[in-house]
Amino acid sequence: MKFGGTSVANLERIHNVARHVKREVDAGHEVAVVVSAMSGKTNELVAWVQDTPKVNGASSPFYDAREYDAVVASGEQVTSGLLAIALQSMGINARSWQGWQIPIRTDNAHGAARILEIDGSDIIKRMGEGQVAVVAGFQGIGPDNRLATLGRGGSDTSAVAIAAAVKADRCDIYTDVDGVYTTDPRIVPKARRMKKVSFEEMLEMASLGSKVLQVRSVELAMVHKVRTFVRSSFEDPDAPGMGDFLNPPGTLICDEEEIVEQEVVTGIAYAKDEAQISLRRVADRPGVSAAIFGPLAEAHINVDMIVQNISEDGSKTDMTFTVPSGDLPKAISVLDANKDKIGFDVAQSESGLAKVSVIGIGMRSHAGVLRRLSRHLPKNPSTSRRSPRRKSRSRS
Ligand code: ADP
Ligand code: ASP
Ligand code: MG
């Protein structure tokens, strides 16, 4: 069972979470619980790190990532302890576990570490003795023996990884929505809740902007075949059906084979704050892509969509690609610094764009999706445009 930030936002909600856990324990299940920090807490901790005065009293964007992890991992330490206390007060045997105590071993990429290995033997033994394991999400321990965090939204990944390590029947992700919808229900109220979504579709939705699950958690669920349920923590824990083990309310993320009717389009994801860069009249020679994207990668700039148009005589090419808006100034300065090596005329850019993605495994064998999509976009001209040259605030 994993509970996100809004689900543990205060003591009253933590008590409610404890009731969900009690329901499962009373039904005879062995339970491991993963918790996030109280909502807003991680943002506050990140801001403290960023605002701490550095050299000569000036606030600098550069800081020691290991200390960033030491600070931002603390939010989950608090909620894991509080939930263990709430459970104990209900007469349930429970204890908190920090990532290093289990241990959850990660790589050395502080701030965005990947889980390498989890030794589940201790918690399996304790769960077998009837003790609920309350695990602090979002954190592990690196090869340098220091706290490492898993990137924002990383508690989902902790939960799926623990589920795989203890060979759980299932991983239930409790959050502030009652399942996965065709698109973000907070933006589009008429979005529909889905009963089942394949791992592959969920992976695409998550990586294209649906932040209901962290991308890495879906990758892990797919690789280890962890059946994952997204469901609401805000329901009354004892409402009818909440304890239905085989068919709980929510969305099941599972293998494609479990889905009988495959939709052409399952969902729509969006990402805001994208920026577009066009390098005009680049000499079209082998190795030019490496000359452009190499320095950007070294500067840790994540390039997303790439379009290349070749001039009629094939000698020059226009390279257009997108980066997160926040990285635009850095990307432009990296490109300018490498202008001679790359060989382009001019770098044009535009920020404040959005990306809309349509997802569905049925699309593999169906034509006409793009036609339907392009019929709908012009109905809202302020958010769509056809020509990349015309300026508008956002683009679909
Ligand atoms: P938690 O704190 O529990 O981890 P998150 O805020 O990370 O919760 O994720 C839940 C949120 O994901 C919802 O409040 C919703 O606004 C958003 N969301 C985005 N896309 C979807 C979608 N397709 N279906 C459901 N929720 C979505
Ligand atoms: N507390 C962390 C975050 O806000 C991890 C999580 O909530 O999943 O990113
Ligand atoms: Mg989340």
Side-chain angles (χ1 to χ4, degrees):
M1 304 173 80
K2 179 260 172 177
F3 294 89
T6 41
S7 309
V8 294
N10 54 45
L11 294 180
E12 197 186 318
R13 294 209 184 142
I14 290 177
H15 179 78
N16 197 52
V17 164
R19 288 180 56 215
H20 280 286
V21 176
K22 183 173 187 312
R23 181 191 64 229
E24 300 298 321
V25 172
D26 288 349
H29 298 295
E30 288 175 28
V31 183
V33 189
V34 172
V35 284
S36 292
M38 292 179 178
S39 64
K41 192 70 208 173
T42 311
N43 287 347
E44 185 185 42
L45 296 168
V46 169
W48 284 351
V49 171
Q50 288 170 345
D51 294 346
T52 301
K54 309 203 175 62
V55 191
N56 302 329
S59 185
S60 145
F62 299 105
Y63 45 77
D64 183 340
R66 292 159 301 189
E67 303 306 352
Y68 165 94
D69 279 349
V71 176
V72 302
S74 64
E76 275 72 9
Q77 176 161 346
V78 172
T79 46
S80 60
L82 290 174
L83 180 59
I85 291 170
L87 286 166
Q88 288 168 6
S89 74
M90 291 177 176
I92 295 173
N93 180 7
R95 72 154 273 192
S96 66
W97 296 81
Q98 305 309 301
W100 59 269
Q101 290 171 318
I102 289 182
I104 297 174
R105 298 209 179 273
T106 71
D107 65 13
N108 224 352
H110 284 278
R114 285 166 78 92
I115 296 177
L116 299 179
E117 193 193 359
I118 295 181
D119 180 352
S121 55
D122 257 5
I123 56 171
I124 289 173
K125 183 167 154 277
R126 301 285 193 100
M127 287 197 300
E129 292 163 6
Q131 188 176 63
V132 173
V134 185
V135 182
F138 182 52
Q139 53 165 274
I141 182 165
D144 54 0
N145 209 26
R146 299 189 62 172
L147 270 173
T149 61
L150 308 179
R152 297 306 304 271
S155 297
D156 297 327
T157 301
S158 311
V160 173
I162 296 268
V166 304
K167 301 200 168 42
D169 298 310
R170 213 169 70 207
C171 179
D172 282 1
I173 307 275
Y174 287 79
T175 182
D176 56 5
V177 278
D178 58 1
V180 179
Y181 281 70
T182 45
T183 192
D184 189 342
R186 294 194 197 287
I187 310 273
V188 184
K190 68 176 187 191
R192 280 181 296 114
R193 187 175 70 172
M194 294 181 277
K195 195 107 192 83
K196 289 181 181 176
V197 187
S198 72
F199 288 126
E200 206 178 355
E201 286 168 326
M202 194 63 231
L203 188 59
E204 294 224 357
M205 286 186 72
S207 41
L208 293 167
S210 295
K211 292 190 179 132
V212 60
L213 289 176
Q214 200 199 32
V215 181
R216 180 82 184 121
S217 71
V218 189
E219 274 173 11
L220 278 183
M222 186 153 115
V223 170
H224 296 281
K225 297 211 182 298
V226 178
R227 299 175 89 239
T228 302
F229 260 99
V230 175
R231 54 188 296 189
S232 168
S233 71
F234 286 81
E235 306 278 329
D236 180 347
D238 300 316
M242 287 300 284
D244 182 344
F245 187 71
L246 292 177
N247 197 17
T251 302
L252 171 66
I253 297 150
C254 59
D255 239 21
E256 220 175 280
E257 287 100 68
E258 277 196 59
I259 300 175
V260 187
E261 259 185 67
Q262 292 178 349
E263 304 272 355
V264 176
V265 171
T266 314
I268 300 176
Y270 69 91
K272 294 194 283 189
D273 296 326
E274 303 266 310
Q276 171 184 298
I277 300 175
S278 292
L279 298 184
R280 302 289 179 202
R281 299 184 57 74
V282 184
D284 191 21
R285 54 181 165 78
V288 73
S289 298
I292 298 171
F293 299 121
L296 291 171
E298 274 160 35
H300 302 288
I301 295 167
N302 195 3
V303 173
D304 183 12
M305 293 180 282
I306 304 172
V307 178
Q308 185 175 5
N309 285 320
I310 299 182
S311 67
E312 253 173 49
D313 68 1
S315 67
K316 298 277 177 191
T317 177
D318 279 353
M319 272 291 199
T320 297
F321 51 89
T322 60
V323 298
S325 269
D327 285 345
L328 182 60
K330 193 159 71 161
I332 293 291
S333 72
V334 167
L335 291 165
D336 278 342
N338 287 277
K339 190 170 181 193
D340 291 341
K341 243 191 266 162
I342 302 168
F344 59 89
D345 262 10
V346 58
Q348 294 171 328
S349 65
E350 187 180 352
S351 58
L353 304 178
K355 174 177 69 175
V356 176
S357 309
V358 176
I359 295 135
I361 33 180
M363 247 189 275
R364 287 185 201 134
S365 52
H366 273 79
V369 174
L370 193 56
R371 185 188 61 189
R372 278 184 68 189
L373 177 69
S374 26
R375 272 193 199 145
H376 280 282
L377 288 178
K379 289 185 191 157
N380 188 354
S382 66
T383 58
S384 71
R385 63 165 197 200
R386 259 174 282 162
S387 156
R389 245 176 290 250
R390 231 171 49 219
K391 296 271 167 186
S392 70
R393 284 194 50 76
S394 61
R395 185 175 68 112
S396 306

